[in-house]
């Protein structure tokens, strides 16, 4: 039996992965902000006879303090973490800051994943074949890191903020492997599932909403989207960090995974979190 932690496990692909792991006999912890969706997950777990192995932690993961609370809770309650699955994101057409002063998309899509990965590393190290599965967007030809304005205080655009988050997560995987070295047993997997018909959590302007509805009609099902992710969870790649697009391995020679940029972003992130 494995211990699986799913960030963003109350909906979409995160929920699909969590329920599949429960059905296979694993203990699963999901983290999300919606109490009703969390209770629904627990009710479903009860219905399949897995209620004693299902756990829900309600948290607003756009807040640094809430990520730290979640890390403390999991560390106190569980002996190890075999897999950390990072799925949470929320689209915002208009810029918003958290009460802690961070741009909300950056905070949820990137900073939360940074904190949970590093914060749960000691528990991951106690598992026989630990893996971090970061479901983001490696392989995307668009997007950039706004080095002089990470929080996009100037000229905010919702899509640009999401694309920056994807690029930041690519560099996060590289920086994680770089910091802990080749002898670290935790495997960091960056995974682009392609178009998947989830709820597309977000607050959209009218034009973006129309585009999202079109994407939903042509996207693959959640079951199709999570199948290659589950295979990677079952058999993590041998390399410290790897990237996949819909199950196909991607070369880390791509500029998206530049080690110098990864170190630069890691330094900027630590500065941001220390303020």
């Amino acid at each position: 039996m494995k211990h699986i932690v799913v960030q963003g496990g109350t909906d979409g692909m995160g929920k699909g992965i969590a329920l599949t792991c429960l059905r296979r006999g694993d203990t699963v912890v999901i983290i999300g902000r919606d109490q009703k969706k969390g209770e629904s997950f627990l009710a479903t777990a009860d219905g399949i006879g897995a209620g004693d192995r299902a756990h829900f932690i309600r948290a607003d993961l756009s807040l640094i303090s809430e990520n730290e609370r979640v890390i403390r809770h999991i560390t106190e309650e569980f002996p190890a973490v075999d897999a950390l699955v990072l799925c949470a994101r929320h689209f915002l057409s208009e810029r918003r800051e958290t009460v802690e002063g961070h741009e909300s998309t950056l905070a949820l899509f990137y900073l939360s994943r940074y904190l949970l990965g590093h914060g749960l590393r000691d528990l991951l190290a106690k598992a026989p074949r630990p893996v971090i599965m970061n479901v983001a967007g490696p392989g995307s030809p668009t997007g950039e890191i706004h080095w002089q304005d990470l929080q996009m205080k100037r000229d905010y655009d919702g899509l640009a903020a999401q694309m920056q988050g994807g690029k930041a997560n690519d560099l996060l995987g590289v920086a994680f492997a770089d910091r802990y070295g080749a002898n670290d047993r935790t495997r960091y997997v960056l995974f682009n599932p392609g178009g998947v018909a989830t709820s597309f959590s977000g607050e959209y302007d009218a034009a973006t909403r129309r585009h999202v509805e079109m994407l939903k009609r042509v996207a693959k099902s959640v079951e199709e989207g999570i199948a290659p992710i589950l295979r990677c969870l079952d058999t993590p790649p041998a390399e410290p960090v790897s990237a996949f697009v819909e199950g196909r391995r991607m070369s880390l020679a791509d500029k998206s995974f530049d080690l110098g940029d990864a170190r630069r972003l890691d330094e900027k992130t630590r500065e941001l979190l220390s303020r």
Side-chain angles (χ1 to χ4, degrees), residues 4 9 43 50-51 55 76 81 107 109 134-135 147 152-153 167-168 182 187 189-190 193 198 203-204 206 216 253 269:
I4 314 293
H55 306 267
E76 290 169 359
V81 171
F109 192 15
N134 191 334
V135 182
W147 293 108
M152 300 188 72
K153 294 182 179 181
K167 294 299 182 185
R187 297 304 182 237
V189 181
L190 299 158
T198 66
E203 299 166 41
Y204 300 96
K216 286 183 180 181
T269 302

Side-chain angles (χ1 to χ4, degrees), residues 41-55:
F41 170 81
L42 295 178
T44 300
D46 280 335
I48 61 175
D52 59 331
R53 293 185 281 105
H55 306 267

Side-chain angles (χ1 to χ4, degrees), residues 26-56:
D26 298 324
T27 292
V28 179
V29 182
I30 66 165
I31 313 163
R33 63 181 177 175
D34 192 306
Q35 182 69 30
K36 289 184 178 179
K37 289 182 179 180
E39 291 173 354
S40 174
F41 170 81
L42 295 178
T44 300
D46 280 335
I48 61 175
D52 59 331
R53 293 185 281 105
H55 306 267
F56 166 57

Side-chain angles (χ1 to χ4, degrees), residues 19-272:
L19 289 174
T20 299
C21 290
L22 275 179
R23 292 187 178 100
R24 300 193 309 188
D26 298 324
T27 292
V28 179
V29 182
I30 66 165
I31 313 163
R33 63 181 177 175
D34 192 306
Q35 182 69 30
K36 289 184 178 179
K37 289 182 179 180
E39 291 173 354
S40 174
F41 170 81
L42 295 178
T44 300
D46 280 335
I48 61 175
D52 59 331
R53 293 185 281 105
H55 306 267
F56 166 57
I57 303 175
R58 184 183 183 187
D60 179 353
L61 292 174
S62 69
L63 298 177
I64 307 309
S65 57
E66 286 284 85
N67 283 277
E68 293 172 341
R69 176 178 64 84
V70 167
I71 291 165
R72 288 194 300 270
H73 179 90
I74 293 173
T75 300
E76 290 169 359
E77 295 295 325
F78 299 94
V81 171
D82 294 270
L84 170 62
V85 182
L86 303 168
C87 289
R89 72 171 78 186
H90 185 78
F91 187 96
L92 291 171
S93 287
E94 296 185 5
R95 188 180 185 277
R96 182 182 303 166
E97 285 192 359
T98 71
V99 294
E100 297 173 336
H102 298 115
E103 190 275 309
S104 292
T105 297
L106 184 74
L108 177 62
F109 192 15
Y110 171 65
L111 294 180
S112 172
R113 299 181 187 216
Y114 182 100
L115 290 164
L116 291 174
H118 289 293
L120 294 174
R121 179 177 172 269
D122 287 347
L123 283 185
L124 286 157
K126 295 178 181 179
R129 299 184 70 187
V131 58
I132 298 175
M133 175 64 65
N134 191 334
V135 182
S140 172
T142 59
E144 62 179 313
I145 303 296
H146 297 256
W147 293 108
Q148 304 307 316
D149 186 22
L150 281 179
Q151 302 218 53
M152 300 188 72
K153 294 182 179 181
R154 304 182 298 274
D155 301 321
Y156 176 87
D157 175 84
L159 182 59
Q162 285 285 319
M163 293 297 99
Q164 174 177 249
K167 294 299 182 185
N169 279 299
D170 291 345
L171 297 176
L172 169 56
V174 174
F176 187 96
D178 178 58
R179 180 186 299 190
Y180 299 117
N183 292 327
D184 187 73
R185 291 187 303 104
T186 300
R187 297 304 182 237
Y188 206 108
V189 181
L190 299 158
F191 204 99
N192 181 349
V196 180
T198 66
S199 66
F200 285 82
S201 176
E203 299 166 41
Y204 300 96
D205 57 48
T208 307
R209 170 60 66 186
R210 288 193 295 271
H211 181 66
V212 166
E213 293 304 320
M214 182 274 292
L215 290 176
K216 286 183 180 181
R217 290 194 294 271
V218 300
K220 64 174 74 74
S221 69
V222 168
E223 290 73 17
E224 291 176 290
I226 67 175
I229 294 174
L230 290 165
R231 289 195 291 271
C232 277
L233 291 177
D234 291 339
T235 309
E239 299 83 2
V241 59
S242 55
F244 294 83
V245 179
E246 297 185 86
R248 301 183 302 275
R249 188 180 287 269
M250 181 181 178
S251 170
L252 296 187
D254 187 274
K255 173 63 177 173
S256 296
F257 310 107
D258 182 79
L259 179 58
D261 286 348
R263 290 172 173 171
R264 181 184 181 188
L265 182 61
D266 187 73
E267 181 178 357
K268 280 185 168 290
T269 302
R270 282 186 279 177
E271 290 174 359
L272 188 64

